[in-house]
Amino acid sequence: MSVTNESGVSQGQKRKREEKDVNNKKSPGDKPIYKNLQLAESQKDAPKKSIYKNIQIADTLKAQSKAKKQRLDKSQRPQPKFKNLQIAEPQKTESRGAQSEKAQENQSQRENTRDNRTHNPLAARQNKLLQVRQQLPIWPEATNIRNALLENHVLILAGETGSGKSTQVPQFLETSVWCTGRIAVTQPRRVAAVSLARRVADEMGTPLGKSPQSLVGYNVRFDDNVGKNNRIKFLTEGMLLQEMLRDPALTEYSCVVVDEVHERSVNVDLLLGFLRGLVTGTSEAVKKRKGKPLKVVVMSATADTEKLKDFFGEGFEQVPAKGSITTFGDEPTSSTKDETLVDKSQELSTSASGKISTCFVEGRMYPVQTEYLSEPTRDFSEAALLQIFQIHRKEPMPGDILVFLTGQDVVTDLQQAIEDMIPNVITRDSGLPKLVVLPLFAALPQAQQQAIFAPAPPNTRKVILATNIAETSITVPGVRFVVDSGKAKVKQFRVGLGLDSLLVKDISKSSAIQRQGRAGREAAGKCFRLYTKSNFEALEKDAIPEILRCDLSSAVLTMKARGIQDVMNFPLLTRPTREAMERALLHLLQLDTLKPEDGDISDLGRKIARLPLTPALGRTIIAAANPEMGCLLPVIDIVACFSVENIFLEVKDQDANDEAREARKALFRRQGDHLTLLTAVQAYASERTDRKAWAQKHLVSHRAMQSVMDVRKQLRAQCQQAKLLSPSDLANAEDDLDTISESTADNILKCFLRGFPSNVARPIPDGSYRTIEGHVAVAIHPSSVLYGRKLEAILYNEFVYTNRTYARGVSAVQMNWLEEIYAAPA
Ligand SMILES: Nc1ncnc2c1ncn2[C@@H]1O[C@H](COP(=O)(O)OP(=O)(O)OP(=O)(O)O)[C@@H](O)[C@H]1O
């Protein structure tokens, strides 16, 4: 049966037609800057059969499922064939039959609720989306995926970009008998968590978030939109780790789906470690689950499946042969086995431990052609600019463009360059559609991030300029073309400096495939790589996991706060060096977050772990909340500024008149950048009439300031929750331009010194500065208000590398403050 869309064209026909369109689109007059037009690697190399030798969905199972590939509509929802199946579960508190019946009851209640919603206006959209869902490569695997988790507790699922993992797997599992609690689906980034939640809510025909009818919600930093009746909750990895502070056993959930695991952020590695403990029962916390099983699904298009399988397998092997928690994944006894599953369980080839299933979903929605540069480019921004206009001139509408760049600064500059060129290129005579440019980077306020998902106005092509935050998980409706700079900004720990810094680096093949996968989701597409084919071949297969690249203080504090004493032996997919762990422990001791006598987390450490900040910034906040310092509100303002790259616009000769330069100079403070940031925030906040005009007048980024205000509000709320601020403190915090007294200014800097005691440099006779730890040469960054000044000592927020090592975010401090700080009680 083929599904027909509104225009009466079958999806299959439509897809073929679009593929043909793309292939025929090269006009003879094209002067391509690309050679080797070719099919996407992922397509070309797509194996006809499972590429994983241990694929756990047996061929016969596949055949069965293909035979049943009929397009299920709502009324044909798969009825679980396993209703009498009772897989042995650990520490059961209810009889298996009772639990299963209860689950059935829950399920039928849920079905009834949905049936009652037949007249819900959302139902029409739900039905329309069902047709799209049924075309997804993952759709025929629904039953297999459910069955895999009936048998086992861990499923490792690999499937091509756009095959339907993130949106469909949670919905497949939601009706499983064991799924009496919620399903958590983690994402590396806010933008993906929110957009996926919206899509899945639409697909399930319910409103999103807090409404009592809503089955889907999301929880990201500074935005909790979760309702009581939500069955599926999308959240960032960091938020799930935060939830583990109050509920280490994740009792609210029946299943955690860890999506985009290939990104290998520190948070995902920690999460996998905690989940392994819970799913294998090796973690103490598991007792709190009172026998309720936890299922874990780990997914990605480009993850190392074997490594993940070994990781979980190793955990299962650590479970004592006879003990209270040894029954995970045991074969059901023949008398209680569901007939259908008897065959399947034999055919499901499981890993050595017998508790892990793996699965590969073949195919993607639509093809993506990939083009490379014939020569390497020296300037990817310029190449991107050319490419965008070339696409605009040559490629048909509709067809929005998604461009991957390195950071906020490059995005903003390119946006300006495009907007400057538009009047010359898109003239009335050119007949070209309009262009609208939308930026997307982490520091952008959430509403602006979500703006990329809105359709472009008629006869307008959308160009989204993004950092790698758009690299995974998201579907941006309308995008047919991807432009990939091949670069990304990555955090790198510099041992000599004892600090993380951001460096622009080549991406990995895995990232390139993910970027390419943002096209071909609604129609055939093209990916323009701004590098050569041989450059691509030379890329590393995967990025180095963050845990090997950055300062581990946050990670170690995260472990300690969740009750891990022996952090050295915490299960991690990739183990950092012993020195890196020891360095982090020392740093945490220096910040008073660990008790010196036993290395256990201190009360102060617990408070800091609850704040969505690095331990250093958290320590600064705690110091500022001390009544003797009494400067928490101004410190929050400065910390909020550190959440964006820069609040000050780069001043180029042509775009700054003397008046604006003078206006900006009025914000500068002689003590340095911290106080200057504070003055700017307070002046912006106290502007009641036109903040945009104020920002323009002072050469300050209005967009960055909106984001700062957002973070400031959230940090204030969090400090209130943590009882660091009282409601009266907040009520009195009027946004009037305060004059900061000398002593408050000193206190503010002392608090930052408390959080960053190692980030201090002193001048040497030749006029340059050397860090007090490591004795590394460093210069004050030209963007600093203290640039060129010689001072007793400087405190800096971060290091940047260009042609030399610069300290950025610099203020003047006194050396005796350091002694004073250490003498004060924690
Ligand atoms: N917001 C949306 N608008 C339009 N189509 C969408 C949207 N979200 C998902 N889709 C459709 O659903 C398909 C599956 O999306 P999904 O995010 O589940 O895939 P995925 O396998 O998780 O991809 P990836 O590995 O790239 O994250 C997309 O290819 C697209 O066709």
Side-chain angles (χ1 to χ4, degrees):
M1 179 182 131
S2 72
V3 177
T4 304
N5 67 12
E6 282 177 327
S7 61
V9 182
S10 82
Q11 290 289 335
Q13 286 167 331
K14 195 169 160 225
R15 196 182 311 180
K16 280 203 189 106
R17 199 180 291 169
E18 276 163 339
E19 280 170 32
K20 207 166 139 203
D21 279 353
V22 167
N23 290 331
N24 291 339
K25 276 286 144 30
K26 271 211 125 20
S27 65
D30 274 2
K31 250 203 281 141
I33 52 174
Y34 293 91
K35 66 171 187 195
N36 303 340
L37 185 77
Q38 62 175 72
L39 277 183
E41 280 68 23
S42 51
Q43 259 229 310
K44 195 179 68 181
D45 304 337
K48 293 289 165 277
K49 290 236 155 104
S50 333
I51 56 166
Y52 295 102
K53 66 172 185 272
N54 291 323
I55 178 158
Q56 309 309 321
I57 293 180
D59 287 342
T60 27
L61 245 182
K62 276 197 168 176
Q64 282 177 3
S65 110
K66 290 229 164 87
K68 281 186 235 126
K69 202 172 166 180
Q70 72 268 42
R71 308 301 180 209
L72 298 170
D73 63 26
K74 201 167 147 236
S75 60
Q76 288 173 292
R77 266 176 178 277
Q79 290 305 306
K81 289 186 235 75
F82 37 77
K83 64 178 173 213
N84 296 321
L85 179 85
Q86 288 142 28
I87 293 181
E89 306 289 5
Q91 302 174 3
K92 286 223 170 295
T93 51
E94 298 173 85
S95 77
R96 288 167 188 152
Q99 200 180 47
S100 177
E101 270 164 31
K102 208 170 183 178
Q104 293 286 318
E105 205 179 294
N106 287 346
Q107 183 177 339
S108 73
Q109 269 171 12
R110 291 203 295 272
E111 295 292 342
N112 285 340
T113 321
R114 277 170 225 182
D115 290 342
N116 292 340
R117 290 195 319 258
T118 334
H119 301 298
N120 187 326
L122 297 167
R125 176 141 172 84
Q126 180 190 16
N127 282 333
K128 200 169 152 198
L129 291 179
L130 183 63
Q131 297 181 4
V132 179
R133 297 177 59 202
Q134 288 167 339
Q135 298 298 314
L136 291 172
I138 206 164
W139 185 264
E141 305 293 352
T143 310
N144 293 336
I145 288 170
R146 284 195 194 98
N147 286 343
L149 278 175
L150 262 183
E151 285 287 295
N152 297 308
H153 288 249
V154 178
L155 170 66
I156 298 164
L157 197 152
E160 286 185 53
T161 52
S163 57
K165 301 177 297 297
S166 317
T167 51
Q168 305 312 305
V169 169
Q171 296 186 73
F172 296 160
L173 300 180
E174 184 255 328
T175 50
S176 291
V177 272
W178 48 262
C179 193
T180 50
R182 280 185 174 154
I183 297 180
V185 188
T186 68
Q187 292 295 323
R189 301 195 177 85
R190 289 187 299 161
V191 64
V194 176
S195 69
L196 282 167
R198 186 166 297 131
R199 174 71 177 190
V200 174
D202 276 358
E203 291 186 0
M204 292 178 82
T206 80
L208 172 66
K210 293 199 191 291
S211 137
Q213 285 83 38
S214 174
L215 295 175
V216 187
Y218 65 83
N219 187 11
V220 297
R221 189 159 78 130
F222 306 145
D223 188 6
D224 181 358
N225 194 9
V226 178
K228 217 167 66 266
N229 297 327
N230 288 172
R231 300 275 306 133
I232 300 174
K233 177 158 143 191
F234 285 87
L235 71 181
T236 50
E237 293 138 5
M239 288 315 295
L240 192 60
L241 286 170
Q242 279 296 323
E243 286 188 13
M244 293 188 89
L245 278 177
R246 65 172 161 72
D247 180 14
L250 295 172
T251 50
E252 179 185 314
Y253 302 100
S254 290
C255 180
V256 178
V257 179
V258 184
D259 201 6
E260 309 300 353
V261 69
H262 69 278
E263 285 224 358
R264 299 295 309 279
S265 63
V266 171
N267 279 350
V268 92
D269 280 10
L270 291 175
L271 199 55
L272 290 174
F274 287 117
L275 289 174
R276 186 177 105 169
L278 287 176
V279 85
T280 56
T282 46
S283 150
E284 274 291 302
V286 83
K287 289 182 192 141
K288 299 216 172 85
R289 293 192 62 84
K290 302 207 170 99
K292 276 198 194 145
L294 180 74
K295 309 277 180 176
V296 173
V297 183
V298 183
M299 314 197 292
S300 168
T302 47
D304 186 341
T305 316
E306 288 300 311
K307 193 174 170 99
L308 285 161
K309 208 168 67 173
D310 290 348
F311 175 71
F312 280 99
E314 199 181 278
F316 282 112
E317 274 155 25
Q318 284 170 11
V319 180
K322 289 229 181 296
S324 56
I325 41 169
T326 53
T327 49
F328 280 116
D330 280 357
E331 281 285 300
T333 58
S334 53
S335 60
T336 56
K337 259 191 197 171
D338 178 280
E339 281 310 304
T340 342
L341 278 163
V342 172
D343 295 332
K344 290 181 182 176
S345 63
Q346 283 159 2
E347 285 159 6
L348 272 169
S349 126
T350 48
S351 74
S353 61
K355 279 128 183 158
I356 305 160
S357 297
T358 59
C359 164
F360 180 76
V361 180
E362 271 182 68
R364 63 191 307 156
M365 273 303 265
Y366 299 94
V368 181
Q369 291 179 337
T370 305
E371 299 188 19
Y372 293 92
L373 289 185
S374 49
E375 298 288 334
T377 175
R378 281 169 157 261
D379 184 341
F380 65 80
S381 281
E382 199 182 289
L385 186 69
L386 275 175
Q387 188 59 61
I388 291 162
F389 281 101
Q390 197 162 357
I391 294 172
H392 193 53
R393 272 202 296 262
K394 306 262 158 50
E395 299 290 352
M397 292 280 284
D400 296 332
I401 308 171
L402 175 60
V403 187
F404 286 99
L405 300 163
T406 49
Q408 180 180 338
D409 44 351
V410 181
V411 165
T412 318
D413 286 353
L414 188 58
Q415 176 171 10
Q416 190 63 56
I418 298 172
E419 285 168 354
D420 290 347
M421 260 179 88
I422 285 177
N424 303 328
V425 179
I426 309 172
T427 57
R428 199 177 290 168
D429 300 338
S430 71
L432 288 172
K434 291 185 198 139
L435 269 185
V436 57
V437 187
L438 298 169
L440 179 65
F441 46 82
L444 212 54
Q446 196 172 301
Q448 287 182 38
Q449 288 191 345
Q450 293 297 320
I452 63 157
F453 297 101
N459 193 37
T460 305
R461 197 192 292 275
K462 205 163 57 172
V463 181
I464 299 153
L465 304 180
T467 62
N468 57 357
I469 73 163
E471 192 171 291
T472 52
S473 271
I474 63 168
T475 301
V476 185
V479 166
R480 306 273 191 280
F481 307 104
V482 165
V483 177
D484 171 15
S485 67
K487 307 275 179 198
K489 236 181 211 179
V490 291
K491 223 193 262 170
Q492 181 98 45
F493 186 74
R494 310 292 296 213
V495 179
L497 300 169
L499 266 185
D500 282 336
S501 51
L502 283 170
L503 301 176
V504 173
K505 295 236 165 173
D506 285 343
I507 57 169
S508 63
K509 278 197 182 111
S510 166
S511 282
I513 291 167
Q514 291 287 345
R515 290 179 176 192
Q516 173 202 61
R518 296 314 107 200
R521 299 172 84 86
E522 291 181 310
K526 281 186 183 177
C527 172
F528 300 88
R529 290 184 171 150
L530 301 177
Y531 40 98
T532 65
K533 179 90 198 299
S534 55
N535 286 155
F536 172 77
E537 303 295 354
L539 295 177
E540 292 293 334
K541 184 170 165 288
D542 295 304
I544 300 173
E546 194 186 0
I547 207 154
L548 298 184
R549 286 188 275 113
C550 65
D551 171 42
L552 297 176
S553 317
S554 289
V556 172
L557 190 63
T558 303
M559 292 183 225
K560 290 276 183 185
R562 284 150 193 81
I564 307 299
Q565 286 293 351
D566 182 7
V567 291
M568 294 291 185
N569 288 313
F570 182 76
L572 288 167
L573 204 51
T574 308
R575 192 152 287 287
T577 59
R578 198 176 175 86
E579 297 77 68
M581 293 291 265
E582 282 170 357
R583 201 166 39 234
L585 285 165
L586 271 176
H587 186 207
L588 290 174
L589 272 170
Q590 198 179 28
L591 296 178
D592 305 320
T593 51
L594 303 181
K595 295 186 206 155
E597 59 277 16
D598 55 7
D600 201 359
I601 188 162
S602 64
D603 289 345
L604 200 143
R606 271 183 221 290
K607 277 191 192 155
I608 292 177
R610 285 183 192 280
L611 294 171
L613 297 169
T614 58
L617 284 175
R619 185 67 187 89
T620 308
I621 292 271
I622 300 283
N626 183 331
E628 271 179 35
M629 289 297 180
C631 53
L632 182 52
L633 287 168
V635 163
I636 288 176
D637 289 356
I638 302 168
V639 170
C641 287
F642 291 149
S643 69
V644 299
E645 240 169 72
N646 201 351
I647 64 161
F648 290 111
L649 294 169
E650 204 185 317
V651 185
K652 293 182 190 130
D653 290 344
Q654 67 276 22
D655 56 26
N657 56 37
D658 289 345
E659 207 184 317
R661 283 169 190 269
E662 284 309 311
R664 173 144 108 176
K665 264 202 188 135
L667 304 173
F668 290 180
R669 290 290 165 267
R670 65 178 170 73
Q671 294 95 333
D673 297 328
H674 294 75
L675 272 299
T676 298
L677 291 173
L678 175 64
T679 312
V681 174
Q682 294 198 336
Y684 181 87
S686 61
E687 170 61 41
R688 304 270 193 271
T689 42
D690 189 346
R691 286 184 174 173
K692 195 169 179 185
W694 180 93
Q696 246 163 6
K697 185 175 160 206
H698 291 83
L699 299 172
V700 163
S701 161
H702 177 52
R703 193 186 280 149
M705 285 310 273
Q706 284 175 306
S707 184
V708 168
M709 299 309 284
D710 208 20
V711 175
R712 172 203 212 218
K713 190 169 143 211
Q714 306 296 338
L715 281 176
R716 285 178 169 195
Q718 255 145 350
C719 285
Q720 201 183 339
Q721 245 174 34
K723 304 210 171 7
L724 299 171
L725 267 180
S726 69
S728 64
D729 291 333
L730 276 179
N732 297 333
E734 286 178 15
D735 277 333
D736 283 325
L737 194 49
D738 286 339
T739 325
I740 299 285
S741 69
E742 282 291 311
S743 64
T744 309
D746 286 359
N747 282 354
I748 291 171
L749 293 178
K750 284 177 192 171
C751 292
F752 277 95
L753 207 50
R754 190 65 200 86
F756 296 83
S758 321
N759 294 16
V760 176
R762 304 199 64 184
I764 53 169
D766 72 0
S768 68
Y769 287 87
R770 297 261 162 178
T771 58
I772 53 167
E773 271 187 34
H775 216 57
V776 178
V778 64
I780 298 177
H781 195 269
S783 67
S784 170
V785 299
L786 297 182
Y787 179 59
R789 299 266 309 275
K790 197 168 169 192
L791 301 147
E792 177 188 337
I794 55 167
L795 165 76
Y796 47 85
N797 187 48
E798 60 176 356
F799 269 111
V800 281
Y801 287 89
T802 45
N803 46 350
R804 60 188 292 196
T805 310
Y806 285 111
R808 202 158 64 178
V810 179
S811 287
V813 290
Q814 295 168 23
M815 285 310 285
N816 62 351
W817 287 355
L818 270 178
E819 289 156 34
E820 205 181 295
I821 282 161
Y822 282 115

